[in-house]
Amino acid sequence: EGPGAAWGISEQSVIPALMQLRKGQEMRRKAQLHWKVPIMPTFRDPALRIAVVTICAYPPGHPLVLPKLTPSNRDAYTSRHGYTLRMHLEPPVLGAHGLGLQHAKLATVLAYLQSGDFDWVAWFDC
C-alpha cells in the first residue's frame, strides 16, 4: 500500500525512476557547460559602470559599530573590484523624498539606476 496505491505506483518504482531522470538531467547539463566559453572568476569588464550603494545613516551615539566599520570595508571592496561607492552616512538620502530611512534603499537604488551613470547598481546593507 502507501500513498501512491490509488494510482498503481509505489515508492519502490518512483524513486529509481526519479533518480534516473536526475542522472540524465545532470549529464545534459554537464554536456551543455562543456560548450560554453569558460570565464575566469577574476574577470572584470572595465567598460561596465558598477555602483555599490549603502545607507549607513545611524543617529549620533547609536550603539551599533556598523557606522564605524562599514565605510572602510565598502571602500576596500569597491576599490579592489573597480566599482564606484555611493555611501550615504546621513539623511536625507538621494531619491527618498519623505520616506523613512528603512524604506529609502529602494528609492536610492532606483535614483542611481535612473541617473544613467551606472550599468549595474548593487545594494549592500550597512
Side-chain angles (χ1 to χ4, degrees):
E1 293 261 331
W7 293 281
I9 59 170
S10 67
E11 288 180 17
Q12 289 77 22
S13 64
V14 171
I15 291 174
L18 290 174
M19 297 300 283
Q20 187 63 32
L21 285 171
R22 181 177 179 194
K23 183 178 178 183
Q25 183 181 19
E26 284 292 318
M27 289 173 57
R28 284 188 296 281
R29 185 183 64 79
K30 285 180 182 177
Q32 289 172 345
L33 289 176
H34 176 73
W35 295 105
K36 297 189 187 270
V37 177
I39 297 174
M40 296 295 298
T42 56
F43 173 76
R44 296 290 182 269
D45 182 348
L48 283 178
R49 300 166 302 157
I50 301 173
V52 171
V53 179
T54 300
I55 298 174
C56 207
Y58 287 88
H62 196 278
L64 286 179
V65 297
L66 289 174
K68 295 176 183 99
L69 298 176
T70 298
S72 60
N73 175 276
R74 295 296 180 273
D75 187 52
Y77 181 86
T78 54
S79 294
R80 177 178 182 176
H81 296 288
Y83 303 154
T84 300
L85 176 61
R86 294 294 184 250
M87 170 83 63
H88 296 270
L89 297 174
E90 56 187 47
V93 178
L94 177 70
H97 313 288
L99 291 176
L101 222 44
Q102 68 275 22
H103 299 109
K105 69 170 97 175
L106 293 176
T108 304
V109 167
L110 180 61
Y112 281 116
L113 287 169
Q114 290 176 335
S115 75
D117 293 337
F118 303 104
D119 300 307
W120 291 90
V121 176
W123 169 262
F124 287 20
D125 276 334
C126 180

